[in-house]
Amino acid sequence: MRTQIGIVGAGPAGLTLALLLQRQGIEAVVLERRDRAYVEGRVRAGLLEQNTVDVMHRLGVGANLDRDGLPHDGISLRWQGETLHVPMRELTGRQVTVYGQQYVVRDLIDACGERGVPVHFEVDGVELHDLAGEPSITFDDGAGRQTLSCDLIAGCDGFHGVCRGSIPAGALREHHFTYPFGWLGILAEAAPAAEELIYAWHERGFALYSMRSPSISRLYLQVPADESIETWPDQRIWGELQARLGVPGWRVEEGPIVDKGITPMRSFVAEPMQHGKLFLAGDAAHIVPPTGAKGLNLAVNDVRLLSEAIGRYFSAGDSSGLAGYGEAALRRVWRAQDFSNFMTQLLHRLDDGDTFGSRLQLARLEQLRRSTAAITNLAENYVGFPATDDF
Ligand code: APR
Ligand code: PHB
């Protein structure tokens, strides 16, 4: 088998890249370890920046998003019974859209099918070869060991994928930060009791009120990093959500929990996101804690930049875009790392054995109420900075 771009991973990064390339007349093949139902059913985050919505529209995959996505003009921050509305649209002219990542993935897979972009599910044992010369990917597809020769490889296989590990030690610099807590997330058949997201600071720990539709709520609780989901029966989850999010006269709407899980929180960046003819994108190259809602948006931004660079390489033989890909992508990655870390450190119970940290958090929250500069900074970062060709 031969193609121009071999893409490993059918998450938002790999699928969006395949479609962006197809639009430019560049051939790609996507290789995915899991089956289609698993990939489409995996409940993840779901907050799309305007840049991400723009890419979906440009690809002509925005019909479901336009119908089912929930555009939001603001978020609220809540602490000690007070609620501060952040009017993002008023402050920045931009908005965000709530639309589950698994729906994004479903829509992208459908579009690949309609446009003849090959996505091979359930491939095992992916290995990359000759990254400096004539690259190829070998894998098992049920019929035996296959070889896919390609001009370039895109490593879009997430944090636990194989692509990053195919880069020789010493050629990548990795930056890690692990938080001592995780998020317990639930999906519940309950009408959201709020129209916009609520990020709550609470002495018992952080909580987030989000949603997927007018009848489905998505909620999160800060829990210790090593927590087992077995210790969280539904009743305990609702009790804790009410305690952390509720205010006099307002309660979280409860209903049957249809999905629950605990995700660890970490920050991670692998620089320079490329090696020879391999280019990393999305979670394969970086992880952010979900508090800033940046993971999916960074993945889409990476492949927007990468597809433009690949386009120039094939249409004009200009490889300068490819050479500068990592540097351009990393500018936004580090901006998002800083913002995600800021939101995380602002809102989570820090367990530092002292009250100094929590008093600083309250002072920062108070500053957001008093300072237009401070709240505008938060809003600008949250909605995402406009896309350019080097950021
Ligand atoms: N071979 C083939 N496919 C693989 C392999 C492998 N060895 N390892 C992982 N994959 C697949 C995974 O099964 C997954 O479908 O690569 C895909 C990677 O997708 P994501 O993890 O969704 O990563 P990405 O596309 O970068 O999207 C980032 O996902 O984790 C969230 O918060 C994150 O929203 C962000 C988004
Ligand atoms: C979500 O709806 O899943 C969500 C929203 C905002 C976040 C994280 C997750 O910051």
Side-chain angles (χ1 to χ4, degrees):
M1 279 197 272
R2 188 173 165 88
T3 190
Q4 287 175 289
I5 314 297
I7 300 177
V8 186
L15 294 165
T16 305
L17 178 62
L19 290 167
L20 286 167
L21 294 173
Q22 191 262 346
R23 240 173 42 113
Q24 302 180 77
I26 299 167
E27 256 180 46
V29 171
V30 182
L31 302 173
E32 166 60 47
R33 188 162 54 113
R34 304 284 192 165
D35 64 35
R36 180 171 178 171
Y38 180 91
V39 171
E40 292 186 358
R42 197 162 39 187
V43 180
R44 295 265 188 80
L47 194 119
L48 277 51
E49 290 178 2
Q50 197 162 310
N51 289 347
T52 301
V53 170
D54 291 346
V55 169
M56 300 273 290
H57 281 144
R58 217 179 309 147
L59 285 174
V61 292
N64 295 336
L65 170 64
D66 288 343
R67 191 190 59 220
D68 301 331
L70 306 169
H72 284 197
D73 289 343
I75 56 169
S76 288
L77 303 177
R78 181 167 287 175
W79 70 98
Q80 295 185 317
E82 296 187 53
T83 302
L84 173 67
H85 186 242
V86 184
M88 291 175 317
R89 187 173 190 144
E90 194 183 304
L91 293 168
T92 68
R94 295 160 74 75
Q95 55 177 180
V96 294
T97 302
V98 174
Y99 189 63
Q101 182 172 315
Q102 85 252 46
Y103 312 137
V104 173
V105 166
R106 175 202 61 200
D107 297 347
L108 294 170
I109 291 173
D110 284 346
C112 286
E114 284 158 19
R115 295 169 199 187
V117 176
V119 183
H120 298 278
F121 291 97
E122 295 180 80
V123 305
D124 271 330
V126 165
E127 287 177 25
L128 312 189
H129 311 275
D130 199 10
L131 298 178
E134 297 189 4
S136 65
I137 307 174
T138 52
F139 59 96
D140 293 313
D141 69 352
R145 196 83 188 147
Q146 311 293 342
T147 301
L148 176 67
S149 309
C150 35
D151 295 299
L152 307 170
I153 298 175
C156 302
D157 51 348
F159 183 68
H160 299 287
V162 292
C163 291
R164 190 177 65 251
S166 310
I167 298 177
L172 272 192
R173 174 137 193 239
E174 299 194 346
H175 309 267
H176 293 267
F177 187 84
T178 306
Y179 299 86
F181 39 78
W183 276 15
L184 187 165
I186 63 162
L187 205 57
E189 288 171 352
E195 284 185 0
E196 293 179 338
L197 274 61
I198 303 170
Y199 288 78
W201 179 100
H202 196 279
E203 281 156 11
R204 302 178 66 87
F206 170 75
L208 170 61
Y209 205 146
S210 183
M211 61 210 65
R212 286 293 174 269
S213 75
S215 57
I216 304 279
S217 299
R218 175 85 171 140
L219 297 121
Y220 297 96
L221 285 171
Q222 174 186 355
V223 295
D226 51 1
E227 194 81 331
S228 151
I229 194 75
E230 273 69 54
T231 61
W232 285 89
D234 294 4
Q235 234 180 342
R236 181 176 177 208
I237 294 176
W238 289 119
E240 203 59 34
L241 286 166
Q242 298 294 4
R244 299 185 193 183
L245 281 159
V247 284
W250 185 90
R251 282 172 61 78
V252 173
E253 193 66 34
E254 299 182 17
I257 295 179
V258 292
D259 188 275
K260 66 176 167 181
I262 294 178
T263 321
M265 305 245 299
R266 59 163 74 87
S267 301
F268 168 76
V269 182
E271 294 184 310
M273 285 178 67
Q274 61 192 83
H275 179 75
K277 293 179 176 164
L278 168 65
F279 299 85
L280 301 176
D283 278 15
H286 42 74
I287 297 283
V288 284
T291 332
K294 291 292 170 220
L296 167 64
N297 298 296
L298 283 181
V300 171
N301 195 63
D302 287 350
V303 298
R304 176 184 64 82
L305 293 168
L306 182 56
S307 72
E308 284 165 13
I310 293 174
R312 284 207 296 284
Y313 176 65
F314 283 108
S315 66
D318 172 7
S319 59
S320 63
L322 282 177
Y325 159 68
E327 198 183 326
L330 283 161
R331 281 191 195 101
R332 187 177 293 259
V333 167
W334 280 110
R335 175 90 304 284
Q337 287 291 356
D338 180 42
F339 177 63
S340 305
N341 182 265
F342 161 79
M343 287 288 278
T344 305
Q345 304 282 5
L346 175 69
L347 294 165
H348 288 72
R349 187 190 152 105
L350 299 173
D351 279 330
D352 54 1
D354 193 357
T355 49
F356 186 72
S358 57
R359 293 295 287 112
L360 286 185
Q361 291 174 324
L362 294 172
R364 284 181 200 138
L365 286 164
E366 187 59 27
Q367 168 81 344
L368 291 169
R369 182 194 297 293
R370 293 186 184 279
S371 160
T372 308
I375 200 169
T376 306
N377 183 42
L378 187 151
E380 270 189 329
N381 278 279
Y382 192 89
V383 299
F385 294 90
T388 67
D389 59 9
D390 67 347
F391 178 67

